[in-house]
Amino acid sequence: MDLQTTILEAGGIYKKYASRLEKLNIKRLSDFLFHIPFRYDDYSLISKIGNVQRGEVVTIQGTVVEIKNELTKNWKRLQKAKVQDQTGSIDVIWFNQPYLVNVIRKGENISLSGKIDWYLHKIVLQSPEYEIGSSETIHTGRLVPVYSETRGVSSKWLRRQIYKILQDNKQKMLEYIPSSILKNNDLISLIEALEQIHFPKKLEYAEKARKRLAFNELFLIQLAALQKRFEWQNKLTSQPLEISRYKKQIEQFWENLPFDLTNAQKKAVSDIFRDLGSTRPMNRLLEGDVGSGKTVVSAIAMYLSFFNGFQSVFMAPTEILAQQHYNTINNLLSPFNVRVEIVTGSKKGRIMNQESNKFDILVGTHAVLGKKINFDKLGLVVIDEQQRFGVEQRAIIRQKGKNPHLLTMTATPIPRTIALTMYGDLDLSYLDEMPKGRKYIKTWLVNREKRNSAYEWIEKQINQTKSQAFIICPFIEESESMQTVRAATKEYGNLKKNIFPNLKLGMLHGKLKAKEKEKVLQDFRDKKTDILVATPVVEVGIDIPNATIMLIEASERFGLAQLHQLRGRVGRGDKQSYCLLFTESKSDQTIKRLKAMETTHVGAELAELDLRLRGPGEIYGTSQHGNKQLKVASFSDFALIEKTKKEAEKIFPRLRSYPLLLEKLNSITIKNISPD
Ligand code: ADP
Ligand code: MG
């Protein structure tokens, strides 16, 4: 057995506990060692029995003089022991643990940690942790680690296993971080770190251990990103696109747009063109707030690809978005004889029936991944809202061409620090400038008392300005469950009957059929409805310029970055737009957090704030983005991110001289969220 042994292979008690351990994400013996305590109980004060004082948390060590079960006056079961050392004796009591009399026996040496209390006019040690025998203690007499537990797996049990696994494997664990790096960064060795994170001699050692393990995590991610980037750049070749020959047409195209491209858009286009003209495939992330105009940038790239005789594919995460992008891209490019097609779950017809290749651009949902969808010459893959697609899906689409260029886009406001870590293998273009004339979306936090006047204001606004409103129902679960749909339907009924009987309301949720969704949206677009009640599905990409009011229910359930994205659904036209954040919360902290929406209008800044206030797990909803890889480090530790990045860059060219590090790197799967 070594650390890589799986829990099932390890047999015995481990095998029996396998499903419980799985809940704690412990699948191999090594995972025990990385099950990091979330706090320590300080039982390090060891006292002679004669010296204990009421109220103290202490450890005493002595001999069991007697132990027995007793019944209290109100029929509770009590376990009572007497323990003595050279200085005296003390009563020890527990409640409702009758088995203890079989575990703790008269005459044994025992170590007990707990609180000295008063019981029936006597000083007692109440419900202490106990540990039998006189060897090194792990549950008492020291800083004792406390772990996240699950039913049937207690901290005590975990502590025992971790201690044993550490002892058994200590000699075999090899240091894989080069000593020069350890020295430069004042880091303790791996073995020391693992020992001290679980069984620290002092709290400051636990802190040192934490520092070392956090360094490990970020350093390895940085190295993995560098490695991926290196492979992409050196092992893949693609056909470089000719640019100068088509410069005129391209410029003509963008001069004919009904607006001027922002400088940020122009810069992104030139970044992209530089990549497309190279012999290695582009791997670029285009990051930009909602409404910053990513679509048109990608359209220009696809147009260049078209001139070069290549097909492009544009993948969007939902049918609604695919349809909308199809309309946009078709409107932009079909006047220039570019053939744009669409394929979604419900729209397979045209492209499947005809010869499948008669298009220049295919827009679609993951339906484009289908086996029957083939390309003659796929040169460019564009993925919108890339975080919605899995690694496999991104790989499949790329395999439909020969190392096609890849442009991924996201409106998820990611703080730069995180982007540089998580997407370290990508080139980044950032649209940090909004199109001219865009107005800030006036945002108000609305508490319970002001709810009705807010509704009145909305009705008046709709009647006076002929604009439209979104009402977003509470976010209940990550994925759109029936529960979410039911809640939204109920709210819709209520709004229709009691709040806005004089307006026309539509309703959109994820469980509607594609056709129904489209109809609801079309009605809203055609102004047949005034208010669109929706579940949070509208978060991504819907573009309806006449909608100027966004009302978000239970806004405290969203992250700021998410709220910002929702808010971005309005403010698309030139009219002043508004966002009303409803909350029933009375917590000062929540109110303060939400208030930031009133004054801050840059997505990345809100994300940064979220990161500080709620931590990265919250923003990225671990399940969604697979960021569980960080157990100790934090993405808000900017200094450490910088440091590990520097060290990784320094050592990367010489990686081969460090076989242990290389081996470690190859043995782990960094669940990076950037495309593979
Ligand atoms: P996102 O970055 O959120 O995907 P879109 O590409 O959907 O944004 O663009 C949002 C809206 O802004 C669209 O209606 C688009 O036509 C418009 N738009 C894009 N670029 C500009 C610009 N430079 N000036 C004015 N409007 C623009
Ligand atoms: Mg978009």
Side-chain angles (χ1 to χ4, degrees):
M1 273 207 298
D2 64 16
L3 287 174
Q4 287 318 306
T5 309
T6 64
I7 294 301
L8 287 174
E9 287 162 359
I13 185 78
Y14 293 128
K15 192 171 166 190
K16 218 165 119 195
Y17 275 34
S19 63
R20 299 175 188 179
L21 290 172
E22 172 116 31
K23 286 200 192 110
L24 297 175
N25 237 337
I26 298 177
K27 295 173 189 143
R28 289 171 192 280
L29 291 185
S30 60
D31 294 333
F32 272 106
L33 301 186
F34 290 90
H35 193 65
I36 306 293
F38 62 85
R39 74 177 157 89
Y40 304 92
D41 281 336
D42 189 350
Y43 293 143
S44 55
L45 175 66
I46 300 179
S47 173
K48 292 290 174 216
I49 292 177
N51 297 340
V52 299
Q53 308 217 345
R54 191 176 163 189
E56 268 182 341
V57 173
V58 293
T59 297
I60 58 166
Q61 290 173 335
T63 316
V64 183
V65 181
E66 66 174 359
I67 177 155
K68 56 178 192 270
N69 274 314
E70 268 182 17
L71 276 183
T72 66
K73 266 187 276 173
N74 39 13
W75 299 94
K76 272 204 204 137
R77 297 226 266 179
L78 179 83
Q79 290 71 49
K80 198 167 181 183
K82 194 182 272 301
V83 174
Q84 83 176 20
D85 66 8
Q86 314 90 309
T87 63
S89 70
I90 189 169
D91 283 349
V92 183
I93 55 169
W94 291 270
F95 296 97
N96 266 321
Q97 300 182 54
Y99 62 90
L100 282 180
V101 301
N102 300 319
V103 183
I104 300 171
R105 301 227 174 80
K106 199 171 148 179
E108 277 176 328
N109 284 329
I110 195 165
S111 177
L112 295 154
S113 296
K115 195 167 174 195
I116 303 293
D117 219 327
W118 203 246
Y119 186 74
L120 298 179
H121 318 294
K122 266 177 95 175
I123 214 164
V124 297
L125 178 58
Q126 189 171 320
S127 305
E129 280 282 348
Y130 65 91
E131 194 163 9
I132 297 159
S134 52
S135 57
E136 191 185 0
T137 59
I138 57 174
H139 310 294
T140 59
R142 58 173 311 134
L143 287 165
V144 174
V146 182
Y147 301 95
S148 61
E149 307 174 341
T150 184
R151 219 194 147 104
V153 181
S154 66
S155 273
K156 188 164 188 174
W157 188 84
L158 285 164
R159 217 175 280 141
R160 216 162 35 229
Q161 310 313 321
I162 291 170
Y163 185 76
K164 185 167 178 320
I165 294 169
L166 258 176
Q167 296 309 315
D168 291 351
N169 292 281
K170 220 152 99 168
Q171 305 305 329
K172 291 178 255 169
M173 264 190 277
L174 298 171
E175 180 60 67
Y176 52 81
I177 297 207
S179 54
S180 59
I181 295 188
L182 293 183
K183 214 165 132 215
N184 283 347
N185 295 281
D186 188 25
L187 297 171
I188 59 177
S189 75
L190 181 61
I191 298 165
E192 233 182 315
L194 286 171
E195 275 185 327
Q196 294 301 319
I197 196 95
H198 292 290
F199 302 105
K201 293 216 172 68
K202 289 187 196 163
L203 272 183
E204 50 187 283
Y205 293 171
E207 214 25 69
K208 282 205 143 189
R210 203 163 279 277
K211 192 175 147 205
R212 161 67 210 256
L213 297 177
F215 188 96
N216 267 29
E217 288 182 335
L218 291 170
F219 180 66
L220 289 172
I221 292 179
Q222 309 270 17
L223 269 183
L226 286 173
Q227 201 177 32
K228 251 162 102 181
R229 188 187 187 98
F230 180 83
E231 275 167 17
W232 185 285
Q233 292 186 341
N234 292 280
K235 294 197 181 148
L236 302 179
T237 52
S238 67
Q239 217 151 332
L241 302 190
E242 168 62 41
I243 297 165
S244 46
R245 198 183 310 155
Y246 308 110
K247 209 166 170 191
K248 229 170 145 183
Q249 283 105 314
I250 300 267
E251 270 170 11
Q252 209 171 13
F253 168 77
W254 91 33
E255 252 134 49
N256 276 328
L257 288 171
F259 46 74
D260 293 333
L261 289 182
T262 62
N263 287 327
Q265 282 171 316
K266 284 183 195 160
K267 165 84 169 50
V269 169
S270 94
D271 289 346
I272 291 169
F273 276 18
R274 196 173 56 239
D275 293 352
L276 292 175
S278 147
T279 51
R280 57 181 172 77
M282 167 165 77
N283 190 14
R284 182 170 290 277
L285 175 70
L286 179 59
E287 191 189 341
D289 262 11
V290 268
S292 58
K294 296 183 289 292
T295 320
V296 68
V297 172
S298 73
I300 294 171
M302 293 190 284
Y303 192 32
L304 181 72
S305 166
F306 158 79
F307 280 124
N308 279 270
F310 283 102
Q311 292 171 306
S312 302
V313 62
F314 184 111
M315 263 205 312
T318 65
E319 295 226 19
I320 296 177
L321 279 174
Q323 184 63 47
Q324 188 182 291
H325 284 309
Y326 167 76
N327 295 341
T328 308
I329 292 165
N330 195 40
N331 287 342
L332 284 171
L333 293 175
S334 66
F336 301 93
N337 301 321
V338 181
R339 295 163 303 176
V340 187
E341 277 294 346
I342 177 166
V343 60
T344 67
S346 62
K347 275 202 179 127
K348 296 220 167 79
R350 248 164 84 197
I351 118 151
M352 305 292 263
N353 294 339
Q354 300 173 0
E355 284 168 50
S356 61
N357 272 311
K358 288 201 164 165
F359 59 84
D360 302 304
I361 296 175
L362 181 61
V363 180
T365 56
H366 35 260
V368 301
L369 302 171
K371 283 206 178 68
K372 291 190 180 150
I373 310 280
N374 293 304
F375 298 84
D376 266 350
K377 227 181 149 193
L378 178 61
L380 173 62
V381 173
V382 180
I383 303 180
D384 195 24
E385 303 298 340
Q386 61 97 11
Q387 71 285 356
R388 294 281 201 105
F389 292 92
V391 169
E392 301 80 19
Q393 292 170 317
R394 296 188 292 235
I396 293 173
I397 193 67
R398 284 185 47 234
Q399 276 153 21
K400 288 184 183 272
K402 213 176 142 250
N403 293 333
H405 294 283
L406 180 58
L407 177 66
T408 48
M409 308 201 286
T410 184
T412 308
I414 309 163
R416 261 196 104 68
T417 39
I418 293 201
L420 289 174
T421 317
M422 295 310 290
Y423 306 129
D425 53 330
L426 300 186
D427 294 309
L428 209 64
S429 291
Y430 193 59
L431 298 184
D432 55 0
E433 180 189 5
M434 280 295 186
K436 257 204 216 91
R438 280 289 156 75
K439 294 195 177 74
Y440 283 138
I441 298 161
K442 279 199 182 135
T443 302
W444 296 295
L445 190 59
V446 178
N447 60 23
R448 184 202 294 248
E449 290 77 47
K450 286 194 249 152
R451 187 176 268 265
N452 283 327
S453 40
Y455 284 139
E456 278 163 30
W457 179 85
I458 291 175
E459 177 153 5
K460 208 167 108 203
Q461 192 73 14
I462 289 176
N463 286 329
Q464 281 177 358
T465 67
K466 299 284 163 246
S467 64
Q468 293 164 288
F470 289 105
I471 294 184
I472 307 297
C473 296
F475 176 89
I476 296 182
E477 279 166 45
E478 187 105 17
S479 63
E480 187 149 305
S481 64
M482 273 322 286
Q483 206 195 345
T484 310
V485 171
R486 262 198 300 274
T489 312
K490 198 166 147 215
E491 177 62 11
Y492 169 66
N494 173 47
L495 288 167
K496 212 158 114 161
K497 197 162 136 239
N498 304 321
I499 313 280
F500 299 115
N502 303 321
L503 295 175
K504 286 179 276 352
L505 275 64
M507 155 116 206
L508 185 69
H509 62 71
K511 293 273 190 279
L512 289 178
K513 298 213 175 69
K515 277 234 166 70
E516 297 170 319
K517 273 189 210 163
E518 221 167 86
K519 167 136 193 355
V520 173
L521 269 175
Q522 200 53 47
D523 283 351
F524 194 55
R525 210 170 269 134
D526 295 344
K527 303 181 189 148
K528 286 186 192 151
T529 43
D530 304 303
I531 297 178
L532 186 62
V533 181
T535 51
V537 285
V538 291
E539 182 181 347
V540 269
I542 294 174
D543 190 14
I544 296 176
N546 192 53
T548 60
I549 300 166
M550 168 63 67
L551 187 169
I552 302 171
E553 278 287 354
S555 56
E556 72 281 356
R557 296 195 195 165
F558 296 90
L560 297 181
Q562 247 175 326
L563 287 174
H564 181 67
Q565 280 186 291
L566 277 170
R567 164 167 80 178
R569 298 299 116 225
V570 297
R572 306 218 134 201
D574 42 18
K575 285 198 232 170
Q576 178 61 53
S577 288
Y578 306 90
C579 173
L580 285 76
L581 301 174
F582 278 28
T583 183
E584 304 275 300
S585 170
K586 294 205 161 58
S587 140
D588 284 346
Q589 217 181 341
T590 305
I591 305 286
K592 199 172 145 219
R593 185 171 74 85
L594 292 172
K595 278 262 178 199
M597 296 294 297
E598 295 182 350
T599 48
T600 308
H601 296 271
V602 180
E605 271 175 41
L606 288 166
E608 207 75 66
L609 200 62
D610 247 344
L611 187 67
R612 260 183 282 139
L613 296 179
R614 307 207 309 173
E618 293 282 345
I619 307 179
Y620 296 105
T622 43
S623 58
Q624 205 184 338
H625 295 285
N627 270 351
K628 285 202 188 104
Q629 50 180 309
L630 286 197
K631 291 192 166 141
V632 188
S634 154
F635 282 122
S636 47
D637 191 345
F638 303 143
L640 190 60
I641 288 175
E642 273 303 307
K643 224 191 234 175
T644 50
K645 190 175 165 66
K646 272 207 194 98
E647 292 291 2
E649 279 166 356
K650 219 159 69 185
I651 201 152
F652 185 72
R654 294 175 287 129
L655 204 51
R656 271 162 205 245
S657 327
Y658 300 95
L660 286 176
L661 180 57
L662 196 60
E663 192 185 320
K664 176 72 191 167
L665 196 58
N666 293 334
S667 75
I668 53 172
T669 18
I670 299 275
K671 280 191 238 126
N672 215 331
I673 49 178
S674 67
D676 261 0

